[in-house]
Amino acid sequence: MSIRPILCFGEALIDFHAEGNDDRGFARQFVPFAGGAPANVAVAAARLGGTARFAGMLSHDRFGDFLLASLRQAGVGTDDVARTEAANTALAFVALDAHGERSFSFYRENTADLQFRPADFRTDTFRNLAVFHVCSNSMTEPLAAETTREGMRRARAAGALVSFDLNLRPALWPHDVDTRALVWPALALADLVKLSAEEFAWLAVDGEDRVLERLWQGNARLLVVTDGPNPLRWFHPDAEGELPAYRVPAVDTTAAGDAFVGGLLLQLAEQRIGAGDLDTLVAMLPRLHATLRHAAAAAAIAVTRQGSFASLPTTDEVLAFMETHA
């Protein structure tokens, strides 16, 4: 029986990575890499040997052509990609500090990735999916946000596990909106939620317990919180725990979270774990820990390389890494 595909929906964009600094502290040059959080997740799953597809709107500009070619080269299915002449590709300029931590400057107003609408989903888009994955970057504009939620609802109705990575980028959101209020409807629709430690703290203005209580009132059965080289934490309505992270010298953390999510979703798809099986996975603790370790290894490899798509490892690389790293 073949493994059902993982479908990632949202933005694909160009990450311009800085190389070298002049005497004023400005980058000497920026090198373009294909990127965008859900696109990265699709590429991560495909490079690890899974069947992954990407759904989103790409511009008919040169960058859109580059993104489409990069997705296909990585083995990601693109039947769910739509194209537009009416908007340009979003751009992100990425600067790295001495520890590989990144900061972003976005050029993303009325760009192609925000133009996808429910009518752009194909009739067969949600048929026989293992996972439907999204993040909050496709929710920074009202119509795009409703399209994201509609995709989550359709995927759930079709029997797919629904995954949500907050992947918060404050610079993308209007200054006059309550971002927390806008992301909670998507959190409530997800079976699996992934947060960074910073995002968990951002949500937990009234304490972590309140976040968990509210999360379990929705569909969520598993929350995973990553924290770079620090232990990752996982939460279930009836249990919680943590695992040590792999410690590696970081070069570029841009796609680390996406590598983790791609690895995790592929492990779930390979084990045929759907939304109704997450309770069983948590009850089988060694199996849960093995699944999370595999995802953490993919993320650890990604931070040792520059780029977005370009940093994502293969299955052989992950297995070799796990054999040589405690």
Side-chain angles (χ1 to χ4, degrees):
M1 183 177 179
S2 61
I3 299 171
R4 292 184 296 162
I6 296 165
L7 177 62
C8 302
F9 169 75
E11 85 279 6
L13 49 76
I14 302 297
D15 286 327
F16 281 97
H17 287 251
E19 289 196 353
N21 290 323
D22 60 21
D23 54 7
R24 300 169 298 168
F26 288 100
R28 294 188 182 277
Q29 63 179 350
F30 284 91
V31 180
F33 288 88
N40 289 339
V41 172
V43 170
R47 285 183 60 80
L48 290 169
T51 301
R53 305 197 327 249
F54 174 75
M57 185 73 74
L58 299 182
S59 175
H60 268 298
D61 60 16
R62 183 177 181 183
F63 291 133
D65 293 342
F66 173 59
L67 288 168
L68 186 63
S70 297
L71 287 165
R72 289 173 173 169
Q73 185 177 16
V76 174
T78 58
D79 289 347
D80 300 285
V81 170
R83 304 292 299 271
T84 181
E85 300 273 5
N88 294 325
T89 298
L91 308 177
F93 289 83
V94 185
L96 302 173
D97 66 17
H99 304 289
E101 289 296 332
R102 69 280 188 273
S103 59
F104 297 92
S105 297
F106 290 100
Y107 290 80
R108 190 183 179 239
E109 185 173 354
N110 299 319
T111 48
D113 59 295
L114 295 173
Q115 310 307 313
F116 198 100
R117 298 292 179 262
D120 294 310
F121 287 121
R122 297 181 304 118
T123 302
D124 293 340
T125 290
F126 299 97
R127 183 173 299 170
N128 200 36
L129 290 180
V131 179
F132 181 70
H133 173 73
V134 301
C135 72
S136 72
N137 294 343
S138 59
M139 302 181 64
T140 59
E141 187 274 335
L143 293 178
E146 177 52 31
T147 301
T148 303
R149 293 188 293 267
E150 176 62 16
M152 297 173 82
R153 289 189 287 264
R154 292 189 192 183
R156 171 171 300 284
L161 184 150
V162 178
S163 166
F164 182 72
D165 178 5
L166 182 54
N167 199 47
L168 186 68
R169 300 288 180 263
L172 292 177
W173 291 83
H175 296 299
D176 58 347
V177 302
D178 182 353
T179 308
R180 291 181 186 85
L182 294 177
V183 301
W184 265 109
L187 287 164
L189 288 168
D191 304 299
L192 169 65
V193 175
K194 186 268 180 189
L195 303 173
S196 70
E198 293 83 359
E199 290 162 350
F200 195 20
W202 175 79
L203 280 175
V205 287
D206 296 320
E208 291 184 358
D209 289 345
R210 177 60 185 133
V211 173
L212 295 171
E213 178 186 355
R214 186 172 180 182
L215 200 59
W216 308 143
Q217 289 173 358
N219 293 304
R221 304 302 291 173
L222 181 62
L223 165 66
V224 180
V225 180
T226 58
D227 192 12
N230 301 313
L232 69 82
R233 304 165 68 192
W234 60 265
F235 300 87
H236 175 269
D238 299 322
E240 63 183 70
E242 66 176 41
L243 279 175
Y246 294 103
R247 289 184 173 271
V248 295
V251 172
D252 183 351
T253 62
T254 302
D258 304 324
F260 181 92
V261 173
L264 175 57
L265 297 184
L266 181 57
Q267 285 288 300
L268 297 179
E270 289 182 340
Q271 297 175 56
R272 294 180 172 81
I273 294 172
D277 304 311
L278 289 172
D279 293 344
T280 302
L281 176 64
V282 171
M284 301 172 65
L285 201 57
R287 189 176 177 186
L288 172 64
H289 285 180
T291 299
L292 294 173
R293 285 194 185 100
H294 196 281
I301 295 171
V303 304
T304 65
R305 303 168 175 175
Q306 188 177 20
S308 302
F309 289 11
S311 71
L312 300 168
T314 64
T315 295
D316 288 345
E317 289 173 326
V318 169
L319 293 177
F321 178 91
M322 293 177 72
E323 286 181 359
T324 57
H325 292 73

